[in-house]
Structure formats: C-alpha cells, structure tokens
Amino acid sequence: LPLQGVVHCWVVLRGVFGAMTFVLSVLAVQLGTPMGDVSALMSINIAVAALLGQMFLHEPVGVLHYFAVGLALAGAVLISHPAFLFGGDDQGGFS
C-alpha cells in the first residue's frame, strides 16, 4: 500500500498527542486544578472537533449539531463551577 507510511505517521502522532493529553491532565490535577474542571475541559474536544471540521473541512453541520455543541460547551462550563456564575473564590469553592 503506497499510503501505509503516511497512515502510520498519523497513528504515531495520535498516540503522541494522546499521551501528552494524559500527562498534562495528570499534571494539572497535581498542580491543584479540580479534577472536574480537567475532565470537563477534556470532554469538549468532540465539540471543538465538530466546529473545526466545519470551518476547515467544510463538513456539513446542521442546526441540531450546533445545538448539541452548545449543550456540550454549556455542560463543561457548569461542571467547572466558575466563580462568575456561582459566586465563591477563584479556586472553585463557595463562600
């Protein structure tokens, strides 16, 4: 197969970026970021991929897709309990 080397390169890059994501998420938790915030930010990658696919690859995205992306982003914000919405200090606590 002539494209086998190119496909192999993408698979290796996916593995490298996946490993970096894991290491950086563990590091973020060790530095004091709440685990809920880390998991919420990691879960929006599908929503971001849908928007980037529409912008750069001209993938068809309908109203229902935009609604689902909006819900995913709103859910990530609600999970992270930002102080400007819920009050409290900047560390995610409540006063």
Side-chain angles (χ1 to χ4, degrees):
L1 298 171
L3 294 178
Q4 188 173 3
V6 174
V7 172
H8 178 72
C9 178
W10 285 112
V11 170
V12 169
L13 280 175
R14 172 60 181 101
V16 168
F17 283 114
M20 284 178 26
T21 299
F22 173 72
V23 169
L24 291 175
S25 64
V26 169
L27 181 65
V29 171
Q30 286 181 345
L31 291 175
T33 305
M35 195 173 296
D37 292 356
V38 173
S39 65
L41 290 175
M42 288 175 58
S43 70
I44 65 169
N45 63 359
I46 296 172
V48 171
L51 294 176
L52 290 176
Q54 195 272 331
M55 285 192 307
F56 293 112
L57 301 176
H58 306 290
E59 293 285 330
V61 178
V63 175
L64 187 60
H65 290 105
Y66 283 119
F67 181 70
V69 167
L71 284 178
L73 295 176
V77 168
L78 290 175
I79 288 173
S80 65
H81 285 77
F84 70 90
L85 282 178
F86 296 100
D89 58 11
D90 290 336
Q91 300 300 320
F94 292 100
S95 12

